[in-house]
């Protein structure tokens, strides 16, 4: 299932990611076509598969890697090379030469190789907005959203799995800050046994907690359905 581990931030905060994430995904989808046109226009065959793959990756405006499942080798563009802690190179990097592991969000155990975005892509499984955490020696954990494309190859190229990656670590940090603040406020309200109500002026939605209803001699169920009119009806005339 291509939706496993799909990034909730990409799903629910699309406007936030649109300017960078969506544009890079569109670029990934057109990369192989653009590369084919480049070869035709120049009537040239790359000197080697390594040269071709490196040139292909540099067409992608985000961090990107190409994975060869036959040899368990990686190719990186310049940005991805920095993320994976290696120097940019046209040649492949064997998995055994790289010091990294990936995990699911909020989990510590490394993913099995067959669960990684690149291996899943190599196995012809579509990858769309899959979020993982990239852990590289001497670097902070990096939250990345992956999208991929399987390149079946041609007379000039071998099959390859291409994975484009967007760093959303800053978005994750902001999101976690909001979650922590919400949790902190919830603990305070529960600890003080406070009655609370929220009113969305734009939509008209009003939300009351059970304690608010109890303070007025009701259960929340007795007041359902609630709206801002619930507050108005129960308010003292001098307060309206």
């Amino acid at each position: 299932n291509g939706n496993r581990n799909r990034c909730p931030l990409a799903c629910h905060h699309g406007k936030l990611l649109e300017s960078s994430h969506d544009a890079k995904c569109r670029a990934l989808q057109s990369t192989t076509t653009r590369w084919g046109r480049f070869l035709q226009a120049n009537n040239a065959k790359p000197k080697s598969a390594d040269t071709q793959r490196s040139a292909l990756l540099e067409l992608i405006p985000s961090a990107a890697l190409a994975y060869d499942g036959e040899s368990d080798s990686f190719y990186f563009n310049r940005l991805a090379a920095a993320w994976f802690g290696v120097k940019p190179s046209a040649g492949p990097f064997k998995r055994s030469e790289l010091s990294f592991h990936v995990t699911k969000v909020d989990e510590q155990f490394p993913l099995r190789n067959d669960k990684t975005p690149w291996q899943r892509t190599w196995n012809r499984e579509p990858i769309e907005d899959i979020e993982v955490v990239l852990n590289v020696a001497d670097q902070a954990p990096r939250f990345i959203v992956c999208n991929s494309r399987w390149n079946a190859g041609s007379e000039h190229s071998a099959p390859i799995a291409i994975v484009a990656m967007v760093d959303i670590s800053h978005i994750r940090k902001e999101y976690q800050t909001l979650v922590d603040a919400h949790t902190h406020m919830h603990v305070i309200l529960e600890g003080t046994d406070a009655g609370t109500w929220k009113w969305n002026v734009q939509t008209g939605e009003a939300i009351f907690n059970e304690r608010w209803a109890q303070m007025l001699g009701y259960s929340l169920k007795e007041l359902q359905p609630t709206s801002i009119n619930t507050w108005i009806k129960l308010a003292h005339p001098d307060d309206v």
Side-chain angles (χ1 to χ4, degrees):
N1 185 346
N3 290 326
R4 286 182 301 175
N5 306 328
R6 188 165 183 174
C7 175
L9 298 181
C11 294
H12 300 298
H13 298 276
K15 292 183 180 179
L16 189 61
L17 295 174
E18 182 177 3
S19 61
S20 60
H21 172 63
D22 291 351
K24 291 169 183 175
C25 291
R26 288 194 297 270
L28 172 64
Q29 292 172 354
S30 65
T31 294
T32 53
T33 300
R34 292 168 59 197
W35 179 246
R37 290 174 180 171
F38 173 82
L39 292 177
Q40 293 177 0
N42 290 275
N43 192 27
K45 181 178 179 180
K47 295 180 180 180
S48 68
D50 291 346
T51 302
Q52 179 183 4
R53 289 167 179 170
S54 296
L56 173 65
L57 291 175
E58 292 303 333
L59 291 175
I60 302 175
S62 66
L65 63 83
Y67 176 68
D68 183 348
E70 291 292 337
S71 61
D72 197 22
S73 299
F74 292 82
Y75 301 78
F76 303 104
N77 65 6
R78 292 183 181 275
L79 181 55
W83 288 9
F84 282 78
V86 297
K87 294 182 179 180
S89 171
F93 294 89
K94 290 286 188 180
R95 178 63 184 90
S96 57
E97 300 173 338
L98 301 171
S99 178
F100 77 89
H101 68 272
V102 291
T103 64
K104 292 181 180 180
V105 176
D106 300 325
E107 291 191 8
Q108 297 181 350
F109 297 103
L111 289 175
R112 298 200 320 259
N113 185 56
D114 63 320
K115 301 298 183 182
T116 59
W118 34 89
Q119 185 63 56
R120 289 168 60 183
T121 305
W122 180 261
N123 293 336
R124 316 297 198 278
E125 182 180 348
I127 297 297
E128 181 180 356
D129 292 338
I130 300 301
E131 182 180 2
V132 295
V133 183
L134 175 64
N135 299 274
V136 178
D138 300 323
Q139 294 187 27
R142 192 183 304 272
F143 291 82
I144 59 175
V145 173
C146 301
N147 286 269
S148 70
R149 185 179 181 88
W150 166 254
N151 183 357
S154 66
E155 61 178 314
H156 296 323
S157 63
I160 201 74
I162 303 172
V163 181
M165 300 164 288
V166 178
D167 187 347
I168 63 166
S169 299
H170 64 294
I171 299 176
R172 265 288 172 188
K173 184 177 181 179
E174 293 171 2
Y175 176 76
Q176 189 60 50
T177 298
L178 291 174
V179 170
D180 292 344
H182 182 272
T183 301
H184 182 64
M185 179 61 69
H186 179 74
V187 170
I188 292 175
L189 293 175
E190 288 294 320
T192 57
D193 198 25
T196 64
W197 61 280
K198 295 186 293 184
W199 177 29
N200 187 321
V201 179
Q202 284 73 31
T203 66
E205 180 186 24
I207 301 175
F208 308 91
N209 72 351
E210 187 68 42
R211 180 55 181 153
W212 183 89
Q214 291 173 353
M215 291 170 69
L216 298 173
Y218 299 91
S219 69
L220 190 58
K221 184 177 181 180
E222 290 177 296
L223 297 177
Q224 298 292 344
T226 57
S227 68
I228 191 58
N229 288 327
T230 306
W231 186 92
I232 294 174
K233 290 177 182 179
L234 295 172
H236 191 281
D238 293 341
D239 294 331
V240 177

